[in-house]
Amino acid sequence: MPRAQLDVQRQGLNKWEMHKALLNGLSNKTDCSSFRIPETKLGTPGNLADMLRNHQTVFIKPVNAWGGSGITRVDVDTSHPVLYRWHKQGDKQVLHIDSVGKVIERFLSSYTAQPVIVQAGAPLATLDERPFDIRVLMQRNDEEDWVYSGAVGRVGGAGSVVSNIALSRGHVMDLKELCHELNCKQKVQQTLSENLQETGYAIAKIVEQYRDFFDIGIDVGLSSNKSLWLIEVNTDDALGGPSHELFAQLPNRDLYDEIQNRHRATRNRRGQALLRELF
């Protein structure tokens, strides 16, 4: 896998370049001790057709979008005759398509002006038939080391393709509350917490090779046996960064205040360092 390329103007990695960075960092393996990565390819008609032959669910994601916008979920119904359900985020209507060729036609007409990736749907659990994931936030501390700032559950709205809160009108959940809803035993909760932290540090170590990021938001889903599947990695860039406001929606705002204070301290410290270099 070629080395990932940083978008110089945006000062970040788009979805495809991030995937390349992660695979390179993991020596081209799609799993490590704490998480797995779904099969992901560039969005071409041939790659989409291959993915639909090999997976029951495939996601189409614009590489330069964020917040869940523009994502389409394609489900394969293997009953006879084979049927494909096309559900684009934000559309109320789910299209039923009767051939791969017609899916490709829809794909070409829907994504003509933007590069995309096609990604296999991981075997993720749902909560009350709604998609959910866990957002892990990594930040720099006063010594410029990475710290695990915390994690929060995100539950998508009814009928949503994604778990993004703003886009799907979903809600956040404290991690303990989420584990309770999923009937996790204490030992499972402890293992999950350890795996979330291990995942955060592993990914931070990989992406810092491409730029001196200071905020990393990592979205992971849970399978039925509580193993982690990586969904997306977001970093600070010229357009913004991972949302801190998710943590503001928790009943206790102490964690949010810590995150904000750490963020401001890092920005001030780096701003002062830049001024010293200039003057």
Side-chain angles (χ1 to χ4, degrees):
M1 178 72 70
R3 179 177 170 82
Q5 298 297 312
L6 187 77
D7 184 324
V8 177
Q9 183 175 10
R10 183 171 170 178
Q11 286 296 294
L13 296 164
N14 68 31
K15 286 181 174 62
W16 177 241
E17 298 301 327
M18 180 64 75
H19 179 70
K20 288 162 59 177
L22 293 171
L23 283 190
N24 284 329
L26 296 171
S27 301
N28 288 315
K29 296 183 295 184
T30 57
D31 62 88
C32 69
S33 59
S34 60
F35 67 93
R36 300 184 66 184
I37 302 175
E39 182 180 7
T40 305
K41 298 181 179 181
L42 271 176
T44 66
N47 283 343
L48 177 56
D50 287 342
M51 296 285 270
L52 290 172
R53 279 192 288 268
N54 296 319
H55 300 281
Q56 190 171 356
T57 299
V58 176
F59 289 92
I60 305 169
K61 301 180 178 182
V63 301
N64 290 312
W66 61 91
S69 63
I71 293 178
T72 294
R73 172 175 175 151
V74 184
D75 291 301
V76 183
D77 184 346
T78 54
S79 60
H80 298 286
V82 175
L83 189 69
Y84 302 89
R85 291 189 294 272
W86 175 285
H87 186 189
K88 190 169 186 178
Q89 176 61 35
D91 290 353
K92 294 183 179 180
Q93 183 181 12
V94 178
L95 301 180
H96 294 82
I97 305 174
D98 61 9
S99 71
V100 172
K102 291 180 181 178
V103 172
I104 299 303
E105 290 177 5
R106 169 65 60 172
F107 166 72
L108 291 173
S109 64
S110 299
Y111 295 99
T112 54
Q114 53 185 329
V116 300
I117 57 172
V118 288
Q119 187 173 72
L124 301 181
T126 58
L127 188 62
D128 297 327
E129 299 184 351
R130 300 183 181 195
F132 77 90
D133 65 20
I134 299 172
R135 163 62 61 86
V136 171
L137 182 64
M138 302 294 294
Q139 293 182 293
R140 298 282 192 179
N141 64 12
D142 291 341
E143 287 73 41
E144 288 289 328
D145 294 323
W146 288 111
V147 293
Y148 173 85
S149 290
V152 63
R154 306 189 306 171
V155 183
S160 175
V161 172
V162 299
S163 55
N164 179 273
I165 301 302
L167 198 64
S168 70
R169 298 182 180 179
H171 63 278
V172 303
M173 294 183 74
D174 177 85
L175 200 55
K176 289 184 178 179
E177 181 186 1
L178 178 62
C179 287
H180 175 74
E181 291 294 323
L182 296 172
N183 297 314
C184 297
K185 295 182 179 180
Q186 186 63 38
K187 186 175 181 180
V188 174
Q189 292 185 41
Q190 180 62 34
T191 300
L192 174 60
S193 178
E194 292 171 356
N195 285 342
L196 289 172
Q197 294 187 51
E198 183 179 339
T199 296
Y201 283 108
I203 290 176
K205 185 176 180 180
I206 292 172
V207 301
E208 71 177 3
Q209 300 173 40
Y210 295 88
R211 209 202 92 197
D212 193 16
F213 299 107
F214 56 83
D215 270 11
I216 303 176
I218 302 162
D219 300 330
V220 293
L222 289 180
S223 67
S224 58
N225 66 358
K226 308 304 183 291
S227 60
L228 300 184
W229 283 85
L230 184 65
I231 298 174
E232 192 164 326
V233 178
N234 301 282
T235 63
D236 61 277
D237 60 26
L239 299 179
S243 172
H244 298 166
E245 301 308 312
L246 293 171
F247 296 88
Q249 299 177 45
L250 294 173
N252 187 332
R253 287 176 57 95
D254 289 348
L255 181 57
Y256 171 72
D257 292 338
E258 291 177 13
I259 289 169
Q260 287 291 84
N261 290 337
R262 190 175 292 119
H263 180 78
R264 282 192 291 266
T266 299
R267 292 185 67 90
N268 290 339
R269 185 173 60 253
R270 292 192 174 189
Q272 292 170 7
L274 179 60
L275 288 175
R276 286 195 296 270
E277 289 180 9
L278 294 175
F279 302 102

